[in-house]
Amino acid sequence: MPQLTTNRFADRALDLVHSALNSRLAAALTYPHGVDRYVEQFAPTFALREVRAEVIATRHQTADSVTLTLRPNRNWQGFAAGQYVRLTVEINGVRRTRCYSPANSVHAKDGLIELTVKAHGDGFVSKHLKLDLRVGTTVFLSQAEGQFALPEQRPDRILLISGGSGITPVMSMLRTLCDEGHKGKITFLHYSNAASDQIYLDELAMINAQFLNVELLRAYNEDQSGELQGLFSREQLIKAVPDYADAQAFLCGPPGMMKVVQKVWADEGLSDQLHLEHFTAAPVVIDSANAEGEVRFIRSERLAKNSGATLLDQAEAAGLKPESGCRMGICKACTCIKTAGKVRDTRTGEISDAGEAEIQICVSVPVGTVTLDI
Amino acid sequence: MSTFSKLTPEQFQQIGAEFDAIRNRVRADLGERDATYIRTLIKRQRQLEIGGRIMLMIPPAWPLGVAALGVSKILDNMEIGHNVMHGQYDFMGDAALNSQKFDWDSADTAKNWKLTHNYEHHTYTNVLNKDHDIGYGLLRMSEEQKWEPRFLANVPLTVILHTFFQHFVAVQNLKVEDVLIYKTKTKAQLKEDFKPVWQKMRKQLAKDYVFFPLLGGPMAPFVFVGNVAANLMRNVWACAVIFNGHFPEEVEQFPESVIENETRGQWYVRQLLGSANFSGGKLMHIMSGNLSFQIEHHLFPDLPAHRYAEISPEVRAICEKFGLPYNTGSFMRQTLSTWKRIVKLSFPSRTPAVRPLVTVDAVNDAAPAYKLAA
Ligand SMILES: Cc1cc2nc3c(=O)[nH]c(=O)nc-3n(C[C@H](O)[C@H](O)[C@H](O)COP(=O)(O)OP(=O)(O)OC[C@H]3O[C@@H](n4cnc5c(N)ncnc54)[C@H](O)[C@@H]3O)c2cc1C
Ligand code: FES
């Protein structure tokens, strides 16, 4: 096949170029800026190590969502179905990072990444992705992260439960299992407001028709077109998926829904069969009245009065730009060193000791004066 | 008599508030425009650098190659490096343009530069014994600097400083004169301090004087001499621009007492009296890293420098309102004035100057952001 030989030849040539650029000579010639800072001027998605991607298509499945197809550079190491990436885009000159779960199969031959984003009314990044992101833009990605993933040893009985945009990681699981010719039974239980704002509707119907071991259960709150009706409840679950206790269940959805599902599993002592992915965390309560002391950012030599907000918010208010991602204690992008002072974890209320430690500043509130290496 | 002593505490406070207002307004407006500006400039710099290095290997194009590489080094150090390391583009959240991570094509390490320049020079601008930029430990640039016989060589030493500027700047933080002349620093300490500097210097020297000449093969001598010429071009230009910013004759220097309890308003006024602009077209501003707006730069070191031209009418208006001088002139005029000072100060001063400078009682005002208490 001539096509294949040319491709192989091109791949070899690219490998050679890459190793030449990765050489010590190239580093010496481009010192101190580094190879990336030169090559990116001509090939914006090039980087020696960093994952970058080009947006090659945008698709609008529903009125408030957008599906992005990304072509990552060669540094992308792939992902496990269910994991997420930190996506960084530039909006009005400022880089912003949010987490998104690839929805494609891990076996996709084209090597592309598909993200589906729900645009929230006042969502800064999601609205930008929906309305302003242009095909051809270069975006930045982390490698895949997160514990929420299909185990290597695929379970026999699988129950995938999702609500709204939480469909993305379980969609990846479903597509991956189908590509693998998984034999065990899979139930795909999905909740959304109406059929008109459900993403992946057509593809789910096709999978359902093609794979006999896949059972599709859609529950709409506002119309009757699904197999089920209304919100999640124990009664509904028992009727629709009577063998749910035999399954490994994977859950992702809005916080309210997740709470109810978790309770059902917990009440029956099945919690270790329920795997969770949170897109949002409970809001942080800011206690500005009782905030004392100051926050010292030693590396940047800034000082701020403790406002009681999270250290990430306080650093940003002081004009600094520490790295961040989920802003809710999940992705660890914001981890930095606290050299002194006590902090409270906003998720658990736990108060740290005063010594040096690595902390996630998006979920840490200072208790008195705190010094950070930022 | 210095304008400094004519202002009342209330006036200082008012001046501080007016300058702060400009700063806050511009900061709130930072965005796409600034990002595009700096990225475009970096693109031009890279093109000039690559083009210049190639032309140095093609004899007929050699002079053009020197010019292109020289200009690219000037852009790299001045409008890009100097400004990025001031944190002017930190707001973008781009690691490649972050003041803590950026390094420049100069023998000086980014770390030492930020210490001697961002911290010492910008905080203690023109304060004797505090601002090492007053003569770089080599020259006599102020009446208040006690005359020593070595200053008879003020003029030839200034020429040498211009010629080897990048290396003088690189060792500036070592305070070599403390070892050689004042004996307040040991040779062992000097050796220790020199280690990181040598690390950087070595790589810079290897790049320009070993690797690129070798890459040129038979053209090696051309490349070598071309690099010498380009580095010289950058050295002389950068040094001249910097001298024009602080040493024209009308520019004031201050005794150490001025910084005790200095208020933000007083700090602004000191920056203003201690700096001088020079006029020119857009190209002149870019090539001088906008240090042609040295006054604006000293008032707002962390605002993107391409904004200085826009805010300079407002700064002038504030100066007029409070009867403060706004020192500006043509590049030639400022250069001549600077050299006149250099010649004059080679010789002992006839009348020991007693500066009629009074520190005004502290007005309760915020200290400069980077005066973080240790
Ligand atoms: C591990 C992980 C994986 C994720 N995967 C996806 C994905 O595949 N697809 C996807 O669309 N999103 C996903 N998210 C959510 C995503 O990271 C952003 O939080 C979301 O796009 C909103 O960002 P924003 O900048 O638009 O909103 P912001 O400007 O940060 O917030 C604006 C407002 O929107 C609200 N808001 C933010 N996120 C949500 C939400 N998820 N539900 C309801 N209200 C919200 C906030 O409370 C706030 O009031 C994931 C999050 C995590 C942590
Ligand atoms: S930003 Fe993700 S853990 Fe803090």
Side-chain angles (χ1 to χ4, degrees):
Chain A
M1 282 186 289
Q3 177 63 40
L4 205 74
T5 7
T6 2
N7 273 348
R8 225 183 262 156
F9 183 74
D11 280 354
R12 279 290 288 281
L14 273 179
D15 281 348
L16 278 176
V17 171
H18 200 269
S19 37
L21 291 172
N22 205 7
S23 66
R24 285 175 60 181
L25 179 65
L29 293 174
T30 54
Y31 183 81
H33 300 307
V35 171
D36 289 1
R37 300 284 92 83
Y38 290 84
V39 183
E40 70 189 3
Q41 301 297 339
F42 312 98
T45 54
F46 174 89
L48 285 177
R49 273 165 274 279
E50 189 183 51
V51 185
R52 299 183 183 187
E54 183 187 345
V55 179
I56 59 167
T58 59
R59 183 159 62 94
H60 298 266
Q61 295 192 49
T62 60
D64 66 353
S65 79
V66 61
T67 300
L68 314 175
T69 311
L70 309 179
R71 183 188 295 127
N73 65 11
R74 53 188 284 144
N75 303 321
W76 171 244
Q77 291 166 3
F79 68 107
Q83 284 190 305
Y84 65 88
V85 292
R86 276 180 282 130
L87 169 79
T88 301
V89 288
E90 201 161 299
I91 306 174
N92 189 23
V94 181
R95 295 206 176 170
R96 310 276 176 174
T97 305
R98 296 289 186 274
C99 303
Y100 293 99
S101 313
N104 53 297
S105 160
V106 304
H107 303 294
K109 291 273 185 304
D110 52 16
L112 303 177
I113 300 172
E114 178 182 303
L115 304 178
T116 292
V117 177
K118 179 177 174 196
H120 297 280
D122 55 353
F124 195 76
V125 173
S126 60
K127 247 172 61 186
H128 168 83
L129 296 176
K130 167 82 185 168
L131 300 175
D132 299 322
L133 187 72
R134 297 275 159 270
V135 168
T137 306
T138 300
V139 297
F140 307 86
L141 298 176
S142 66
Q143 295 289 356
E145 296 168 354
Q147 303 302 316
F148 186 69
L150 278 179
E152 284 295 331
Q153 182 69 41
R154 310 298 195 214
D156 272 347
R157 177 76 179 100
I158 294 174
L159 170 56
L160 305 173
I161 312 174
S162 57
S165 58
I167 195 172
T168 51
V170 291
M171 190 68 201
S172 170
M173 292 178 176
L174 180 66
R175 285 163 152 181
T176 299
L177 291 165
C178 289
D179 278 354
E180 287 171 1
H182 182 77
K183 292 283 174 302
K185 187 170 176 201
I186 305 166
T187 301
F188 195 94
L189 177 53
H190 179 73
Y191 293 83
S192 39
N193 283 333
S196 60
D197 55 47
Q198 192 200 320
I199 44 187
Y200 295 116
L201 189 64
D202 297 342
E203 188 176 341
L204 282 169
M206 265 164 56
I207 290 177
N208 190 38
Q210 192 186 341
F211 295 89
L212 297 176
N213 59 330
V214 175
E215 177 187 28
L216 176 63
L217 298 175
R218 294 161 304 172
Y220 300 125
N221 204 13
E222 290 163 10
D223 68 58
Q224 316 276 323
S225 67
E227 290 75 15
L228 303 174
Q229 249 274 298
L231 303 174
F232 175 92
S233 67
R234 185 160 182 271
E235 295 67 41
Q236 189 195 51
L237 176 74
I238 292 172
K239 225 191 278 161
V241 194
D243 63 342
Y244 69 96
D246 300 335
Q248 288 296 323
F250 296 85
L251 167 68
C252 181
M257 168 202 170
M258 289 185 67
K259 239 194 187 145
V260 183
V261 179
Q262 273 174 274
K263 188 166 183 321
V264 171
W265 261 255
D267 285 350
E268 293 174 32
L270 295 172
S271 289
D272 51 351
Q273 276 169 241
L274 182 68
H275 311 276
L276 310 166
E277 180 73 305
H278 297 274
F279 279 7
T280 48
V284 175
V285 189
I286 296 174
D287 183 4
S288 54
N290 291 318
E292 286 174 358
E294 57 198 25
V295 186
R296 297 161 177 232
F297 304 98
I298 39 168
R299 192 145 29 102
S300 17
E301 296 174 348
R302 302 247 173 130
L303 184 66
K305 211 175 145 294
N306 175 15
S307 68
T310 65
L311 283 166
L312 177 58
D313 286 339
Q314 298 204 44
E316 289 174 347
L320 306 176
K321 283 254 153 251
E323 263 193 56
S324 70
C326 64
R327 309 179 74 93
M328 52 197 252
I330 292 173
C331 70
K332 307 238 162 81
C334 66
T335 303
C336 76
I337 295 171
K338 157 180 80 75
T339 52
K342 292 184 183 178
V343 295
R344 180 168 51 83
D345 187 316
T346 58
R347 298 164 297 181
T348 59
E350 214 174 292
I351 293 179
S352 75
D353 67 29
E356 182 169 314
E358 276 199 351
I359 58 166
Q360 289 158 274
I361 54 174
C362 69
V363 288
S364 299
V365 169
V367 181
T369 293
V370 167
T371 309
L372 292 178
D373 184 23
I374 296 181
Chain B
M1 181 162 142
S2 171
T3 333
F4 214 86
S5 44
K6 288 188 247 160
L7 294 166
T8 65
E10 290 70 33
Q11 281 175 314
F12 273 116
Q13 186 145 33
Q14 218 178 327
I15 292 168
E18 296 205 10
F19 282 133
D20 276 346
I22 297 180
R23 181 170 187 279
N24 293 339
R25 199 195 60 228
V26 176
R27 280 197 71 87
D29 184 50
L30 296 182
E32 185 108 40
R33 181 154 76 94
D34 307 274
T36 308
Y37 174 80
I38 193 69
R39 294 234 171 85
T40 310
L41 203 80
I42 290 174
K43 192 173 206 103
R44 295 286 165 270
Q45 186 275 324
R46 303 289 193 253
Q47 289 164 338
L48 281 166
E49 181 179 353
I50 294 170
R53 291 197 186 276
I54 292 171
M55 286 190 284
L56 287 182
M57 298 179 191
I58 309 166
W62 189 87
L64 264 180
V66 172
L69 187 58
V71 170
S72 98
K73 280 178 180 275
I74 287 170
L75 290 178
D76 178 286
N77 287 185
M78 305 193 71
E79 184 68 338
I80 302 167
H82 164 259
N83 290 337
V84 167
M85 284 194 284
H86 263 297
Q88 294 180 359
Y89 298 94
D90 280 3
F91 77 92
M92 291 169 60
D94 179 350
L97 293 171
N98 180 284
S99 59
Q100 303 303 314
K101 297 181 181 146
F102 191 89
D103 201 353
W104 55 356
D105 179 16
S106 158
D108 190 20
T109 65
K111 187 167 169 241
N112 277 346
W113 173 258
K114 278 178 283 191
L115 198 78
T116 49
H117 180 82
N118 287 12
Y119 173 56
E120 292 182 9
H121 170 61
H122 272 273
T123 314
Y124 303 119
T125 310
N126 285 20
V127 174
L128 285 163
N129 302 323
K130 283 276 189 184
D131 180 2
H132 198 257
D133 279 20
I134 307 182
Y136 296 82
L138 188 72
L139 310 173
R140 181 163 182 253
M141 296 304 293
S142 164
E143 297 276 350
E144 266 96 338
Q145 242 173 316
K146 219 171 102 334
W147 186 84
E148 299 167 31
R150 65 178 174 118
F151 294 131
L152 283 172
N154 237 17
V155 171
L157 283 176
T158 307
V159 174
I160 293 174
L161 180 67
H162 277 67
T163 311
F164 298 100
F165 191 59
Q166 69 158 335
H167 290 101
F168 272 104
V169 170
V171 299
Q172 191 185 1
N173 195 39
L174 306 180
K175 314 271 151 80
V176 181
E177 72 278 10
D178 289 350
V179 183
L180 297 180
I181 299 160
Y182 303 116
K183 315 282 180 211
T184 51
K185 181 172 175 172
T186 64
K187 283 224 171 77
Q189 186 56 46
L190 180 69
K191 223 172 131 189
E192 197 50 38
D193 289 354
F194 187 57
K195 271 186 198 156
V197 177
W198 177 240
Q199 283 296 320
K200 170 105 203 251
M201 245 185 216
R202 210 185 59 196
K203 289 186 190 160
Q204 288 289 126
L205 292 169
K207 172 176 74 168
D208 279 346
Y209 300 124
V210 179
F211 294 125
F212 273 111
L214 281 181
L215 210 64
M219 297 301 142
F222 286 94
V223 177
F224 186 95
V225 176
N227 283 339
V228 172
N231 276 319
L232 178 67
M233 189 171 146
R234 181 268 321 273
N235 284 355
V236 171
W237 176 249
C239 191
V241 165
I242 290 168
F243 269 53
N244 278 359
H246 293 297
F247 305 130
E249 288 164 298
E250 305 81 1
V251 173
E252 290 193 33
Q253 272 128 2
F254 307 91
E256 266 181 86
S257 58
V258 75
I259 50 180
E260 280 165 35
N261 301 319
E262 190 180 49
T263 65
R264 184 137 180 94
Q266 290 170 327
W267 180 84
Y268 273 129
V269 173
R270 178 161 57 80
Q271 300 302 326
L272 198 87
L273 299 179
S275 311
N277 288 4
F278 52 83
S279 49
K282 199 165 173 206
L283 192 63
M284 176 66 122
H285 296 315
I286 293 176
M287 290 301 287
S288 65
N290 275 296
L291 292 184
S292 42
F293 291 104
Q294 188 75 251
I295 295 173
E296 286 74 12
H297 174 57
H298 265 267
L299 295 172
F300 311 112
D302 60 352
L303 292 183
H306 73 108
R307 299 257 190 172
Y308 295 156
E310 294 165 22
I311 54 181
S312 91
E314 290 173 73
V315 171
R316 255 175 202 255
I318 295 175
C319 287
E320 259 163 47
K321 184 165 149 193
F322 292 93
L324 294 165
Y326 182 93
N327 189 331
T328 186
S330 72
F331 185 83
M332 266 339 265
R333 183 199 167 274
Q334 303 293 57
T335 309
L336 283 176
S337 177
T338 300
W339 280 89
K340 247 166 77 187
R341 182 197 282 243
I342 295 166
V343 174
K344 211 166 76 188
L345 293 176
S346 314
F347 308 105
S349 311
R350 261 183 232 128
T351 42
V354 182
R355 186 155 290 278
L357 203 134
V358 203
T359 19
V360 182
D361 283 344
V363 185
N364 229 353
D365 200 348
Y370 31 81
K371 265 176 102 179
L372 171 67

